[in-house]
Amino acid sequence: MEGSCSWEQKTLIGELIQGMELAKQLRQNLGVKSSAETREFLVQRILSSYEKALLILKWGGSMGQQQPQALGVATNLPVPESPMSVNESPRSDDQDLIRDGSKKRKVLPRWTDQVRVSSENGLEGPQDDGYSWRKYGQKDILGAKYPRSYYRCTFRNTQSCWATKQVQRSDEDPYLFEITYRGTHTCSQASNSVQPPTSPQNHDQKPNNHNSIIPQQQQFGHCSHKLPSNLRVVTELGESAFTFPSSQYGGLNGEDGFSPLVLESETFMGSFSRSFVSPATPESGYYAPFQMNNSAGLQYVHRSESDLTEIISANTSATNSPIPDMDFSLDSVDIDPNFPFDTPGFFS
DNA sequence: TGTATTTGACCCCC
DNA sequence: GGGGGTCAAATACA
C-alpha cells in the first residue's frame, strides 16, 4: 500500500474523509428526529476532523514524514518514535525519548486523562482503557497522598510496544485519577483499536487497582463500546464537551448504570464508531472515554500535556483516523481516490 | 507452570 | 543529592 501516497497524506485524507462522512451524517440527522446532542456531537466531530487535518498540514511540513513503525501493524499509528532497535537498551527513559539526527532529546507523545469514578469500585482504580497493561512499578510521589502506579504495554517485549502510562490518584479527589500516557501503542491492540475499544480479551484483568472492574468490553469484541450514562469528554482540540445521554447509547442497566452498546447496529453510536476514536487522542485510538466498563458516572477528561503538534503526530491523525483501511473509506464516500490531494497548495 | 503483581534497588536527570 | 522512573527478583495467583 505504500504507494504514491505518503502516510501523512493518507492521514490527511482520512481526516478529510471523516469530516465529509460526518457532514453527510449530520445532513441526514437534520432530516430526522435526532437529538440536539447528536447534532452537536456531529458538528464537533466535523470541526475536530478538519482541525486535525489542518494541524497535520501545518505540522507535517516541519516534521518530515513519519512512517508507521511496522507494516501491517498499527499502520494507523502516528508513531513518532524513531525506530528504536530492539537491541538497544530500553533502559529507563529511552522509550520516552526520541533521538533524532541532532541527538536532540525529544519526548514521546504524552498526554493526560483524568478519570473520575463515582462508585466505590472506582476507588480501586480507573477503568480499563482497552489496552493491556502490565504494572511494573509503584512509587510514592513527593507531595502526593497516593502512590503513583506505572504501567507498560503487555506486549512490550513481544511486539516492541513502548506505550506506558502512569496512574495517579488525585489528592483532593480520591475519585479522580490522572492517567498520563506516554508513547503510542504499536502492538496489535493499537491496530485493533482503530475500531472502537480494543478488547483486551485475552489478557484478562488489570492488576490490583483494576481488578474490581469487570472487563465488560471484552465480551463485545472490537466493535462494541460501553458508555457510561453520563460520559463527558473534553478534548483540547475540540474545546468542547459532548455528553452522551445513556438513553441514546444504551439503556441503563440497573447495577452498572449502563448497558453494553453494540455498535454494529445502526445506532447513533454505530455510525460514529470510528469517529469516536478521534477526539484528540494521541494514542492510536485511545478510546478511554468510551471504554469505561464499569459503574456509572465515570467521567473522562482528556487533555494533552504535550504540545499540540505532538498530539497530532502522535496519533490523532493516524490513530484517530478512521481509515486504517483507505480502500474502505474511499469507497464508502464518494471521493475519487485519484483526487490529487497531494497537489501543492491544495490545502492551503 | 506461566503470567501478573509487588517492592526494594538502581539509574538518570534536574 | 533528591525525586521520578524503571528494573528485576520475589511472590501471588490461576
Side-chain angles (χ1 to χ4, degrees):
Chain A
M1 281 283 279
E2 307 302 313
S4 52
C5 267
S6 71
W7 172 82
E8 196 170 85
Q9 288 174 325
K10 289 180 180 178
T11 294
L12 253 178
I13 294 172
E15 291 299 337
L16 292 171
I17 289 175
Q18 179 179 344
M20 182 179 289
E21 284 186 316
L22 290 168
K24 286 182 178 179
Q25 289 164 2
L26 176 59
R27 184 175 58 188
Q28 292 176 352
N29 270 276
L30 290 176
V32 251
K33 250 188 177 179
S34 61
S35 69
E37 286 90 351
T38 300
R39 290 193 293 268
E40 172 72 10
F41 176 75
L42 280 168
V43 171
Q44 289 301 333
R45 290 296 308 118
I46 293 170
L47 290 175
S48 177
S49 280
Y50 286 117
E51 280 179 2
K52 280 184 281 183
L54 287 171
L55 285 167
I56 291 167
L57 275 173
K58 289 180 184 177
W59 177 79
S62 59
M63 255 305 272
Q65 247 178 257
Q66 291 183 357
Q67 295 287 344
Q69 273 187 323
L71 288 179
V73 176
T75 51
N76 55 314
L77 293 177
V79 188
E81 301 99 324
S82 61
M84 181 171 78
S85 157
V86 180
N87 297 326
E88 254 178 339
S89 168
R91 182 89 193 94
S92 78
D93 274 354
D94 277 358
Q95 314 101 28
D96 196 31
L97 307 178
I98 298 179
R99 297 186 187 284
D100 52 21
S102 62
K103 285 187 177 181
K104 182 181 176 183
R105 177 192 174 109
K106 185 169 183 177
V107 182
L108 282 182
R110 178 180 180 147
W111 62 100
T112 301
D113 277 322
Q114 290 185 331
V115 182
R116 180 182 294 285
V117 294
S118 59
S119 68
E120 283 190 15
N121 284 346
L123 285 176
E124 302 198 22
Q127 303 315 297
D128 181 355
D129 58 13
Y131 290 101
S132 291
W133 300 100
R134 169 175 292 191
K135 186 174 185 177
Y136 65 87
Q138 178 171 308
K139 214 172 162 67
D140 287 323
I141 300 302
L142 195 69
K145 191 186 297 182
Y146 303 99
R148 175 177 300 169
S149 296
Y150 299 87
Y151 298 87
R152 63 186 171 209
C153 181
T154 300
F155 307 111
R156 178 189 178 121
N157 296 324
T158 58
Q159 296 180 35
S160 296
C161 180
W162 301 103
T164 64
K165 75 171 180 181
Q166 300 172 1
V167 177
Q168 175 75 61
R169 175 175 289 181
S170 169
D171 288 346
E172 299 78 22
D173 185 356
Y175 290 92
L176 186 65
F177 289 85
E178 184 160 292
I179 306 176
T180 300
Y181 293 87
R182 290 164 125 183
T184 56
H185 281 272
T186 57
C187 58
S188 56
Q189 283 193 310
S191 55
N192 289 340
S193 65
V194 172
Q195 284 300 328
T198 64
S199 54
Q201 187 73 294
N202 12 4
H203 331 286
D204 252 351
Q205 235 7 4
K206 290 286 111 85
N208 51 332
N209 37 356
H210 288 162
N211 57 10
S212 72
I213 293 150
I214 303 166
Q216 297 176 45
Q217 70 184 87
Q218 297 177 6
Q219 307 167 13
F220 305 100
H222 299 157
C223 297
S224 41
H225 306 248
K226 295 189 124 188
L227 286 178
S229 50
N230 290 304
L231 175 59
R232 179 182 176 83
V233 181
V234 178
T235 73
E236 274 204 348
L237 284 180
E239 285 188 346
S240 58
F242 351 101
T243 56
F244 308 101
S246 59
S247 60
Q248 216 167 346
Y249 315 108
L252 285 177
N253 139 351
E255 300 181 359
D256 292 336
F258 56 89
S259 56
L261 175 68
V262 180
L263 292 178
E264 284 86 342
S265 62
E266 283 297 310
T267 60
F268 170 72
M269 277 298 286
S271 61
F272 284 92
S273 58
R274 288 170 296 147
S275 312
F276 258 122
V277 304
S278 51
T281 65
E283 190 164 28
S284 78
Y286 168 61
Y287 311 98
F290 315 106
Q291 297 179 330
M292 301 162 292
N293 352 342
N294 91 344
S295 12
L298 279 177
Q299 180 183 57
Y300 273 77
V301 177
H302 181 83
R303 73 170 199 273
S304 166
E305 283 189 340
S306 56
D307 110 42
L308 194 51
T309 56
E310 278 184 333
I311 298 182
I312 299 303
S313 71
N315 67 34
T316 306
S317 35
T319 296
N320 303 326
S321 176
I323 344 234
D325 178 358
M326 287 300 289
D327 292 340
F328 165 77
S329 297
L330 288 174
D331 287 343
S332 63
V333 295
D334 299 321
I335 278 192
D336 180 0
N338 298 318
F339 189 89
F341 281 103
D342 51 349
T343 300
F346 170 72
F347 291 110
S348 53

